[in-house]
Amino acid sequence: MSWGQPRSLQARQLLAASLGLLAFLALAGYALDRAFLETAESNLRQRLKSYALAYAAEGEFARSGEFIPPYESIDPRLEMPGSGLYAEVVFPNGHWDSPSAVGPDLPAGTMLPPRTERFEGPLPITELDGAPGEAYRFGYGVIQDPGDARGEFPYTIYILENTTQLSRQVEVFREALWQYLGGAGLILLLLQGLILRWSLLPLRRVIDELKRVQRGLASRMSERHPRELEPLTESINAFIESERENLDRQRNTLADLAHSLKTPLAVLRARLEDQAPEAELREEVDHQLRRMGDLVSYQLARAASGGHALFAAPIPIEPHAEQIVRGLEKVYASKGVLCEFDLAEGVQFHGEPGDLQELLGNLLENAFKWAGARVLLTVRPGEVAGNRRPGLLLAVDDDGPGIPEEKVALILQRGVRGDERVHGHGIGLAIVQDIVRSYRGTLDVSPSAELGGTRFEVQLPPGL
């Protein structure tokens, strides 16, 4: 796979985790190394200080001014030339060196104020064999009062130790440190790989389920998924169901249209075969053509209004409602019907603009048709569920004669009109019902408590 191509999520996660782990181990190793080095230097300082205090406590000066070291050697290395541990005593009129300092070239010390400590290094030195080296040096200023006429006598004690022992300790520590960190890093990388594989298992299951749906082995995604993937699987299921409903609707529309046209065509063929009179035949042809035109208009209207986009942008309702009402007021100007709005502020319709126009147009036209003088359009936000878009309540009331309860189911059937004397094709409410059903909502017809006529109430559930 080239670097320009997108990598898998598991590869991305593993690469990011590996780089983060390596960076963490490097920083941790550096921090531990610095901490060990500082600790080793601190221990070295304390050890050299203890040697200096031992010289200050047990060493003394002769009347001739010569320094007399402790009777028992503080450390055997101080007696071995070039051993790496050296002592020097500096006083006003000279200095004293330990036997180990014979041969190596050490930096000269200076007098320090009494009770002053100084730790420095590494300082350059020349070893007994002439090789260059480095050493740490601890200096301690001392003042001695012999209690006689000589008075106070200041001097300074220096203890030096080369870096050989310290470097060896640091080298051993670093070798062990990086071995342990490297082993821990490999184990953590393996654990990260296993954890990533386990954590991405639900996503792989979603992919497998989606492939099964694509191959026709499953009809939809299952519902047992982690919360983070539920919006994705629900959207996929909703899309699958919507596409399946659209396909079924198209098939049903074509089947219904073909079935509906069979009867008028059969009547026309029968009349032609009967050799009916021309006037009677013309009348029958006109009647059947109008019937077929109504059927085609109905089926086209249903096909155009069926289905909706799952993720359509929100549409403001008030402008569409005002446009529809202005047209209806012109059509029914002779009745003088007044339409009132009761719209919640900012309420919107999440769907297709054509669906909204069909809903409002058919419900309001039906209300204008049957109203005596008043129509009321009510729009409110519906139910709210989690992070989904809110539902919608849309109701149209009129002050007409009302619909008996036993006729409600009848008028919602396709092609059935509430009153045969009133002009219409009886498909408006059927279109409304189809649209509401496509949005998984409900259409209720009941007496209007506000105006006394009929109330058509549409409730759309929260959407994806």
Side-chain angles (χ1 to χ4, degrees):
M1 181 180 293
S2 65
W3 287 98
Q5 295 177 343
R7 296 180 175 272
S8 67
L9 289 178
Q10 182 170 340
R12 288 174 179 267
Q13 292 284 349
L14 189 58
L15 178 60
S18 301
L19 292 177
L21 178 60
L22 290 177
F24 170 77
L25 291 177
L27 291 175
Y30 176 78
L32 291 174
D33 182 79
R34 294 303 304 171
F36 178 82
L37 184 58
E38 292 176 1
T39 302
E41 289 181 349
S42 176
N43 292 335
L44 176 62
R45 173 192 173 100
Q46 294 299 324
R47 187 170 67 254
L48 298 183
K49 180 180 179 180
S50 66
Y51 291 161
L53 293 177
Y55 270 99
E58 300 179 15
E60 59 183 11
F61 285 88
R63 289 184 177 274
S64 61
E66 181 182 359
F67 179 75
I68 302 175
Y71 178 74
E72 294 184 359
S73 177
I74 298 173
D75 191 306
R77 291 182 296 167
L78 292 169
E79 305 298 328
M80 301 170 55
S83 64
L85 182 64
Y86 316 106
E88 180 185 13
V89 179
V90 180
F91 39 91
N93 54 354
H95 74 282
W96 172 89
D97 294 322
S98 66
S100 61
V102 177
D105 185 10
L106 305 176
T110 59
M111 292 285 294
L112 296 178
R115 291 180 292 277
T116 299
E117 298 180 6
R118 178 183 295 174
F119 181 74
E120 50 192 343
L123 303 175
I125 64 172
T126 302
E127 299 287 357
L128 183 62
D129 57 359
E134 292 180 328
Y136 286 91
R137 182 172 69 177
F138 179 83
Y140 181 62
V142 184
I143 185 169
Q144 181 175 350
D145 186 3
D148 52 24
R150 290 179 296 175
E152 293 182 343
F153 185 77
Y155 62 98
T156 300
I157 301 172
Y158 284 101
I159 307 295
L160 296 89
E161 184 173 348
N162 63 15
T163 58
T164 303
Q165 184 177 359
L166 180 63
S167 298
R168 188 178 299 113
Q169 293 177 352
V170 173
E171 183 179 353
V172 171
F173 173 79
R174 286 175 176 172
E175 183 178 356
L177 172 66
W178 293 114
Q179 286 180 353
Y180 285 122
L181 286 179
L186 290 177
I187 294 175
L188 289 176
L189 283 177
L190 292 176
L191 287 176
Q192 282 184 342
L194 294 176
I195 292 173
L196 284 175
R197 186 172 182 82
W198 174 76
S199 61
L200 293 177
L201 182 60
L203 191 57
R204 286 196 294 272
R205 289 177 178 170
V206 169
I207 296 174
D208 292 339
E209 289 184 9
L210 187 57
K211 289 181 179 178
R212 288 177 57 83
V213 172
Q214 291 174 341
R215 296 169 183 169
L217 302 177
S219 59
R220 65 196 309 275
M221 307 287 291
S222 66
E223 298 180 356
R224 295 179 60 85
H225 294 288
R227 288 194 302 270
E228 294 80 2
L229 295 178
E230 283 181 355
L232 174 64
T233 55
E234 288 179 359
S235 298
I236 293 175
N237 282 334
F239 179 76
I240 293 173
E241 292 174 5
S242 177
E243 288 301 307
R244 187 176 291 119
E245 289 176 0
N246 288 337
L247 181 60
D248 292 341
R249 185 179 296 107
Q250 292 172 7
R251 291 173 178 171
N252 293 337
T253 299
L254 292 176
D256 292 348
L257 180 60
H259 184 271
S260 300
L261 293 178
K262 283 173 60 178
T263 301
L265 291 173
V267 171
L268 290 177
R269 180 174 296 277
R271 299 297 290 172
L272 287 173
E273 293 176 352
D274 291 344
Q275 298 181 356
E278 182 178 353
E280 185 178 343
L281 183 60
R282 289 173 61 89
E283 183 180 356
E284 186 66 34
V285 168
D286 180 66
H287 175 72
Q288 296 300 333
L289 286 177
R290 282 189 286 106
R291 183 180 177 187
M292 286 190 289
D294 292 342
L295 291 172
V296 171
S297 298
Y298 164 63
Q299 297 294 350
L300 290 178
R302 190 182 71 167
S305 63
H308 66 282
L310 289 175
F311 310 106
I315 303 172
I317 296 177
E318 188 171 3
H320 291 272
E322 290 179 348
Q323 181 181 7
I324 292 172
V325 168
R326 282 197 298 267
L328 291 173
E329 287 177 346
K330 294 178 182 179
V331 175
Y332 295 94
S334 59
K335 297 181 65 175
V337 177
L338 175 66
C339 182
E340 304 174 18
F341 285 179
D342 183 9
L343 277 64
E345 183 178 356
V347 66
Q348 295 176 315
F349 174 78
H350 293 265
E352 296 294 331
D355 292 343
L356 176 61
Q357 291 180 353
E358 288 289 343
L359 281 174
L360 293 175
N362 285 295
L363 290 177
L364 288 172
E365 183 179 8
N366 184 75
F368 268 80
K369 186 185 300 182
W370 293 100
R374 294 179 61 195
V375 172
L376 173 64
L377 172 62
T378 305
V379 182
R380 292 279 185 273
E383 298 180 358
V384 179
N387 295 326
R388 300 187 176 196
R389 66 192 187 196
L392 180 69
L393 184 146
L394 188 151
V396 176
D397 296 74
D398 63 65
D399 61 349
I403 301 175
E405 184 176 354
E406 63 274 9
K407 288 189 176 183
V408 170
L410 183 64
I411 65 170
L412 293 179
Q413 296 179 10
R414 299 185 183 119
V416 177
R417 286 176 284 172
D419 191 338
E420 296 294 333
R421 295 169 296 177
V422 178
H423 177 71
H425 304 301
I427 65 173
L429 294 180
I431 292 176
V432 170
Q433 195 171 24
D434 288 343
I435 294 175
V436 172
R437 189 181 296 113
S438 71
Y439 282 83
R440 296 171 179 79
T442 58
L443 172 63
D444 295 323
V445 182
S446 60
S448 173
E450 292 282 339
L451 303 183
T454 305
R455 177 182 177 90
F456 288 84
E457 182 177 294
V458 173
Q459 291 192 12
L460 303 182
L464 295 174

PDB file of all heavy atoms in Angstrom, residues 349-374:
ATOM      1  N   PHE A 349     -39.768  21.762   9.021  1.00  0.00           N
ATOM      2  CA  PHE A 349     -40.101  20.436   8.496  1.00  0.00           C
ATOM      3  C   PHE A 349     -38.834  19.803   7.946  1.00  0.00           C
ATOM      4  O   PHE A 349     -38.164  20.387   7.085  1.00  0.00           O
ATOM      5  CB  PHE A 349     -41.162  20.558   7.407  1.00  0.00           C
ATOM      6  CG  PHE A 349     -41.473  19.268   6.699  1.00  0.00           C
ATOM      7  CD1 PHE A 349     -42.278  18.319   7.294  1.00  0.00           C
ATOM      8  CD2 PHE A 349     -40.952  19.007   5.439  1.00  0.00           C
ATOM      9  CE1 PHE A 349     -42.572  17.124   6.646  1.00  0.00           C
ATOM     10  CE2 PHE A 349     -41.242  17.825   4.778  1.00  0.00           C
ATOM     11  CZ  PHE A 349     -42.050  16.877   5.386  1.00  0.00           C
ATOM     12  N   HIS A 350     -38.489  18.618   8.431  1.00  0.00           N
ATOM     13  CA  HIS A 350     -37.294  17.913   7.962  1.00  0.00           C
ATOM     14  C   HIS A 350     -37.719  16.892   6.911  1.00  0.00           C
ATOM     15  O   HIS A 350     -38.146  15.787   7.244  1.00  0.00           O
ATOM     16  CB  HIS A 350     -36.587  17.219   9.134  1.00  0.00           C
ATOM     17  CG  HIS A 350     -36.000  18.169  10.113  1.00  0.00           C
ATOM     18  ND1 HIS A 350     -34.687  18.579  10.079  1.00  0.00           N
ATOM     19  CD2 HIS A 350     -36.563  18.810  11.161  1.00  0.00           C
ATOM     20  CE1 HIS A 350     -34.452  19.416  11.062  1.00  0.00           C
ATOM     21  NE2 HIS A 350     -35.578  19.574  11.743  1.00  0.00           N
ATOM     22  N   GLY A 351     -37.635  17.273   5.659  1.00  0.00           N
ATOM     23  CA  GLY A 351     -38.045  16.382   4.588  1.00  0.00           C
ATOM     24  C   GLY A 351     -37.978  17.075   3.248  1.00  0.00           C
ATOM     25  O   GLY A 351     -37.285  18.080   3.062  1.00  0.00           O
ATOM     26  N   GLU A 352     -38.722  16.544   2.266  1.00  0.00           N
ATOM     27  CA  GLU A 352     -38.726  17.075   0.914  1.00  0.00           C
ATOM     28  C   GLU A 352     -39.712  18.242   0.816  1.00  0.00           C
ATOM     29  O   GLU A 352     -40.814  18.188   1.379  1.00  0.00           O
ATOM     30  CB  GLU A 352     -39.130  15.986  -0.074  1.00  0.00           C
ATOM     31  CG  GLU A 352     -38.159  14.820  -0.143  1.00  0.00           C
ATOM     32  CD  GLU A 352     -36.821  15.243  -0.715  1.00  0.00           C
ATOM     33  OE1 GLU A 352     -36.791  16.193  -1.526  1.00  0.00           O
ATOM     34  OE2 GLU A 352     -35.808  14.631  -0.346  1.00  0.00           O
ATOM     35  N   PRO A 353     -39.322  19.314   0.102  1.00  0.00           N
ATOM     36  CA  PRO A 353     -40.273  20.438  -0.067  1.00  0.00           C
ATOM     37  C   PRO A 353     -41.585  19.999  -0.712  1.00  0.00           C
ATOM     38  O   PRO A 353     -42.653  20.488  -0.338  1.00  0.00           O
ATOM     39  CB  PRO A 353     -39.501  21.404  -0.980  1.00  0.00           C
ATOM     40  CG  PRO A 353     -38.058  21.063  -0.766  1.00  0.00           C
ATOM     41  CD  PRO A 353     -38.023  19.593  -0.511  1.00  0.00           C
ATOM     42  N   GLY A 354     -41.512  19.073  -1.691  1.00  0.00           N
ATOM     43  CA  GLY A 354     -42.745  18.604  -2.328  1.00  0.00           C
ATOM     44  C   GLY A 354     -43.663  17.899  -1.355  1.00  0.00           C
ATOM     45  O   GLY A 354     -44.892  18.036  -1.424  1.00  0.00           O
ATOM     46  N   ASP A 355     -43.086  17.139  -0.412  1.00  0.00           N
ATOM     47  CA  ASP A 355     -43.908  16.468   0.593  1.00  0.00           C
ATOM     48  C   ASP A 355     -44.620  17.481   1.474  1.00  0.00           C
ATOM     49  O   ASP A 355     -45.801  17.325   1.814  1.00  0.00           O
ATOM     50  CB  ASP A 355     -43.045  15.549   1.450  1.00  0.00           C
ATOM     51  CG  ASP A 355     -42.517  14.367   0.656  1.00  0.00           C
ATOM     52  OD1 ASP A 355     -43.067  14.101  -0.426  1.00  0.00           O
ATOM     53  OD2 ASP A 355     -41.577  13.717   1.125  1.00  0.00           O
ATOM     54  N   LEU A 356     -43.901  18.537   1.869  1.00  0.00           N
ATOM     55  CA  LEU A 356     -44.514  19.570   2.712  1.00  0.00           C
ATOM     56  C   LEU A 356     -45.650  20.270   1.966  1.00  0.00           C
ATOM     57  O   LEU A 356     -46.736  20.511   2.529  1.00  0.00           O
ATOM     58  CB  LEU A 356     -43.452  20.581   3.140  1.00  0.00           C
ATOM     59  CG  LEU A 356     -43.950  21.780   3.955  1.00  0.00           C
ATOM     60  CD1 LEU A 356     -44.582  21.311   5.258  1.00  0.00           C
ATOM     61  CD2 LEU A 356     -42.816  22.767   4.232  1.00  0.00           C
ATOM     62  N   GLN A 357     -45.443  20.569   0.701  1.00  0.00           N
ATOM     63  CA  GLN A 357     -46.492  21.245  -0.077  1.00  0.00           C
ATOM     64  C   GLN A 357     -47.707  20.335  -0.269  1.00  0.00           C
ATOM     65  O   GLN A 357     -48.849  20.796  -0.220  1.00  0.00           O
ATOM     66  CB  GLN A 357     -45.919  21.677  -1.426  1.00  0.00           C
ATOM     67  CG  GLN A 357     -44.886  22.797  -1.321  1.00  0.00           C
ATOM     68  CD  GLN A 357     -44.339  23.209  -2.675  1.00  0.00           C
ATOM     69  OE1 GLN A 357     -44.632  22.587  -3.687  1.00  0.00           O
ATOM     70  NE2 GLN A 357     -43.529  24.257  -2.691  1.00  0.00           N
ATOM     71  N   GLU A 358     -47.448  19.032  -0.487  1.00  0.00           N
ATOM     72  CA  GLU A 358     -48.578  18.110  -0.629  1.00  0.00           C
ATOM     73  C   GLU A 358     -49.364  17.996   0.672  1.00  0.00           C
ATOM     74  O   GLU A 358     -50.600  17.981   0.673  1.00  0.00           O
ATOM     75  CB  GLU A 358     -48.074  16.734  -1.063  1.00  0.00           C
ATOM     76  CG  GLU A 358     -47.602  16.657  -2.507  1.00  0.00           C
ATOM     77  CD  GLU A 358     -48.756  16.745  -3.496  1.00  0.00           C
ATOM     78  OE1 GLU A 358     -49.919  16.536  -3.078  1.00  0.00           O
ATOM     79  OE2 GLU A 358     -48.510  17.043  -4.677  1.00  0.00           O
ATOM     80  N   LEU A 359     -48.634  17.898   1.803  1.00  0.00           N
ATOM     81  CA  LEU A 359     -49.319  17.806   3.091  1.00  0.00           C
ATOM     82  C   LEU A 359     -50.178  19.044   3.344  1.00  0.00           C
ATOM     83  O   LEU A 359     -51.390  18.948   3.604  1.00  0.00           O
ATOM     84  CB  LEU A 359     -48.295  17.645   4.217  1.00  0.00           C
ATOM     85  CG  LEU A 359     -47.700  16.261   4.449  1.00  0.00           C
ATOM     86  CD1 LEU A 359     -46.609  16.332   5.513  1.00  0.00           C
ATOM     87  CD2 LEU A 359     -48.781  15.285   4.890  1.00  0.00           C
ATOM     88  N   LEU A 360     -49.522  20.194   3.285  1.00  0.00           N
ATOM     89  CA  LEU A 360     -50.252  21.439   3.566  1.00  0.00           C
ATOM     90  C   LEU A 360     -51.340  21.688   2.527  1.00  0.00           C
ATOM     91  O   LEU A 360     -52.475  22.074   2.870  1.00  0.00           O
ATOM     92  CB  LEU A 360     -49.276  22.616   3.604  1.00  0.00           C
ATOM     93  CG  LEU A 360     -48.258  22.643   4.751  1.00  0.00           C
ATOM     94  CD1 LEU A 360     -47.287  23.797   4.576  1.00  0.00           C
ATOM     95  CD2 LEU A 360     -48.973  22.766   6.088  1.00  0.00           C
ATOM     96  N   GLY A 361     -50.990  21.470   1.244  1.00  0.00           N
ATOM     97  CA  GLY A 361     -51.952  21.770   0.182  1.00  0.00           C
ATOM     98  C   GLY A 361     -53.211  20.930   0.286  1.00  0.00           C
ATOM     99  O   GLY A 361     -54.336  21.460   0.223  1.00  0.00           O
ATOM    100  N   ASN A 362     -53.055  19.620   0.453  1.00  0.00           N
ATOM    101  CA  ASN A 362     -54.240  18.751   0.497  1.00  0.00           C
ATOM    102  C   ASN A 362     -55.048  18.961   1.762  1.00  0.00           C
ATOM    103  O   ASN A 362     -56.293  18.976   1.726  1.00  0.00           O
ATOM    104  CB  ASN A 362     -53.811  17.292   0.382  1.00  0.00           C
ATOM    105  CG  ASN A 362     -53.406  16.924  -1.037  1.00  0.00           C
ATOM    106  OD1 ASN A 362     -54.215  16.931  -1.950  1.00  0.00           O
ATOM    107  ND2 ASN A 362     -52.128  16.611  -1.215  1.00  0.00           N
ATOM    108  N   LEU A 363     -54.375  19.103   2.929  1.00  0.00           N
ATOM    109  CA  LEU A 363     -55.118  19.303   4.174  1.00  0.00           C
ATOM    110  C   LEU A 363     -55.837  20.655   4.175  1.00  0.00           C
ATOM    111  O   LEU A 363     -57.008  20.754   4.580  1.00  0.00           O
ATOM    112  CB  LEU A 363     -54.165  19.205   5.369  1.00  0.00           C
ATOM    113  CG  LEU A 363     -53.605  17.815   5.675  1.00  0.00           C
ATOM    114  CD1 LEU A 363     -52.612  17.880   6.833  1.00  0.00           C
ATOM    115  CD2 LEU A 363     -54.728  16.836   6.005  1.00  0.00           C
ATOM    116  N   LEU A 364     -55.146  21.715   3.733  1.00  0.00           N
ATOM    117  CA  LEU A 364     -55.777  23.040   3.735  1.00  0.00           C
ATOM    118  C   LEU A 364     -56.881  23.135   2.680  1.00  0.00           C
ATOM    119  O   LEU A 364     -57.934  23.747   2.913  1.00  0.00           O
ATOM    120  CB  LEU A 364     -54.711  24.124   3.487  1.00  0.00           C
ATOM    121  CG  LEU A 364     -53.758  24.381   4.656  1.00  0.00           C
ATOM    122  CD1 LEU A 364     -52.637  25.308   4.247  1.00  0.00           C
ATOM    123  CD2 LEU A 364     -54.517  24.973   5.850  1.00  0.00           C
ATOM    124  N   GLU A 365     -56.663  22.526   1.498  1.00  0.00           N
ATOM    125  CA  GLU A 365     -57.707  22.553   0.475  1.00  0.00           C
ATOM    126  C   GLU A 365     -58.947  21.799   0.950  1.00  0.00           C
ATOM    127  O   GLU A 365     -60.081  22.245   0.731  1.00  0.00           O
ATOM    128  CB  GLU A 365     -57.187  21.944  -0.822  1.00  0.00           C
ATOM    129  CG  GLU A 365     -58.221  22.005  -1.952  1.00  0.00           C
ATOM    130  CD  GLU A 365     -57.692  21.426  -3.244  1.00  0.00           C
ATOM    131  OE1 GLU A 365     -56.582  20.842  -3.228  1.00  0.00           O
ATOM    132  OE2 GLU A 365     -58.388  21.533  -4.272  1.00  0.00           O
ATOM    133  N   ASN A 366     -58.732  20.677   1.618  1.00  0.00           N
ATOM    134  CA  ASN A 366     -59.874  19.940   2.155  1.00  0.00           C
ATOM    135  C   ASN A 366     -60.620  20.771   3.200  1.00  0.00           C
ATOM    136  O   ASN A 366     -61.860  20.774   3.244  1.00  0.00           O
ATOM    137  CB  ASN A 366     -59.375  18.634   2.767  1.00  0.00           C
ATOM    138  CG  ASN A 366     -60.498  17.758   3.274  1.00  0.00           C
ATOM    139  OD1 ASN A 366     -61.212  17.133   2.509  1.00  0.00           O
ATOM    140  ND2 ASN A 366     -60.670  17.727   4.597  1.00  0.00           N
ATOM    141  N   ALA A 367     -59.830  21.498   4.056  1.00  0.00           N
ATOM    142  CA  ALA A 367     -60.473  22.340   5.075  1.00  0.00           C
ATOM    143  C   ALA A 367     -61.227  23.499   4.449  1.00  0.00           C
ATOM    144  O   ALA A 367     -62.363  23.820   4.849  1.00  0.00           O
ATOM    145  CB  ALA A 367     -59.412  22.846   6.047  1.00  0.00           C
ATOM    146  N   PHE A 368     -60.639  24.160   3.439  1.00  0.00           N
ATOM    147  CA  PHE A 368     -61.318  25.267   2.754  1.00  0.00           C
ATOM    148  C   PHE A 368     -62.598  24.772   2.070  1.00  0.00           C
ATOM    149  O   PHE A 368     -63.604  25.481   2.020  1.00  0.00           O
ATOM    150  CB  PHE A 368     -60.376  25.891   1.717  1.00  0.00           C
ATOM    151  CG  PHE A 368     -59.570  27.048   2.240  1.00  0.00           C
ATOM    152  CD1 PHE A 368     -58.431  26.835   3.001  1.00  0.00           C
ATOM    153  CD2 PHE A 368     -59.959  28.353   1.993  1.00  0.00           C
ATOM    154  CE1 PHE A 368     -57.687  27.882   3.482  1.00  0.00           C
ATOM    155  CE2 PHE A 368     -59.228  29.413   2.478  1.00  0.00           C
ATOM    156  CZ  PHE A 368     -58.079  29.190   3.227  1.00  0.00           C
ATOM    157  N   LYS A 369     -62.522  23.552   1.555  1.00  0.00           N
ATOM    158  CA  LYS A 369     -63.669  23.021   0.810  1.00  0.00           C
ATOM    159  C   LYS A 369     -64.875  22.821   1.729  1.00  0.00           C
ATOM    160  O   LYS A 369     -66.017  23.081   1.344  1.00  0.00           O
ATOM    161  CB  LYS A 369     -63.268  21.701   0.168  1.00  0.00           C
ATOM    162  CG  LYS A 369     -64.329  21.107  -0.746  1.00  0.00           C
ATOM    163  CD  LYS A 369     -63.884  19.741  -1.241  1.00  0.00           C
ATOM    164  CE  LYS A 369     -62.579  19.838  -2.007  1.00  0.00           C
ATOM    165  NZ  LYS A 369     -62.148  18.513  -2.538  1.00  0.00           N
ATOM    166  N   TRP A 370     -64.611  22.384   2.984  1.00  0.00           N
ATOM    167  CA  TRP A 370     -65.709  22.057   3.876  1.00  0.00           C
ATOM    168  C   TRP A 370     -65.977  23.127   4.931  1.00  0.00           C
ATOM    169  O   TRP A 370     -67.012  23.072   5.608  1.00  0.00           O
ATOM    170  CB  TRP A 370     -65.419  20.736   4.598  1.00  0.00           C
ATOM    171  CG  TRP A 370     -65.407  19.567   3.669  1.00  0.00           C
ATOM    172  CD1 TRP A 370     -64.327  18.939   3.141  1.00  0.00           C
ATOM    173  CD2 TRP A 370     -66.547  18.912   3.132  1.00  0.00           C
ATOM    174  NE1 TRP A 370     -64.704  17.924   2.313  1.00  0.00           N
ATOM    175  CE2 TRP A 370     -66.085  17.879   2.296  1.00  0.00           C
ATOM    176  CE3 TRP A 370     -67.938  19.082   3.282  1.00  0.00           C
ATOM    177  CZ2 TRP A 370     -66.945  17.036   1.600  1.00  0.00           C
ATOM    178  CZ3 TRP A 370     -68.777  18.221   2.600  1.00  0.00           C
ATOM    179  CH2 TRP A 370     -68.287  17.213   1.770  1.00  0.00           C
ATOM    180  N   ALA A 371     -65.073  24.104   5.079  1.00  0.00           N
ATOM    181  CA  ALA A 371     -65.239  25.110   6.134  1.00  0.00           C
ATOM    182  C   ALA A 371     -66.403  26.034   5.836  1.00  0.00           C
ATOM    183  O   ALA A 371     -66.752  26.282   4.670  1.00  0.00           O
ATOM    184  CB  ALA A 371     -63.954  25.919   6.288  1.00  0.00           C
ATOM    185  N   GLY A 372     -66.985  26.546   6.938  1.00  0.00           N
ATOM    186  CA  GLY A 372     -68.024  27.547   6.777  1.00  0.00           C
ATOM    187  C   GLY A 372     -67.404  28.934   6.676  1.00  0.00           C
ATOM    188  O   GLY A 372     -67.708  29.694   5.752  1.00  0.00           O
ATOM    189  N   ALA A 373     -66.504  29.269   7.626  1.00  0.00           N
ATOM    190  CA  ALA A 373     -65.891  30.599   7.596  1.00  0.00           C
ATOM    191  C   ALA A 373     -64.465  30.605   8.137  1.00  0.00           C
ATOM    192  O   ALA A 373     -63.715  31.537   7.872  1.00  0.00           O
ATOM    193  CB  ALA A 373     -66.749  31.583   8.418  1.00  0.00           C
ATOM    194  N   ARG A 374     -64.076  29.572   8.896  1.00  0.00           N
ATOM    195  CA  ARG A 374     -62.769  29.619   9.544  1.00  0.00           C
ATOM    196  C   ARG A 374     -61.994  28.308   9.353  1.00  0.00           C
ATOM    197  O   ARG A 374     -62.574  27.218   9.350  1.00  0.00           O
ATOM    198  CB  ARG A 374     -62.924  29.874  11.046  1.00  0.00           C
ATOM    199  CG  ARG A 374     -63.484  31.233  11.426  1.00  0.00           C
ATOM    200  CD  ARG A 374     -63.618  31.340  12.933  1.00  0.00           C
ATOM    201  NE  ARG A 374     -62.316  31.197  13.597  1.00  0.00           N
ATOM    202  CZ  ARG A 374     -62.172  30.973  14.901  1.00  0.00           C
ATOM    203  NH1 ARG A 374     -63.249  30.826  15.667  1.00  0.00           N
ATOM    204  NH2 ARG A 374     -60.971  30.883  15.422  1.00  0.00           N
TER     205      ARG A 374
END
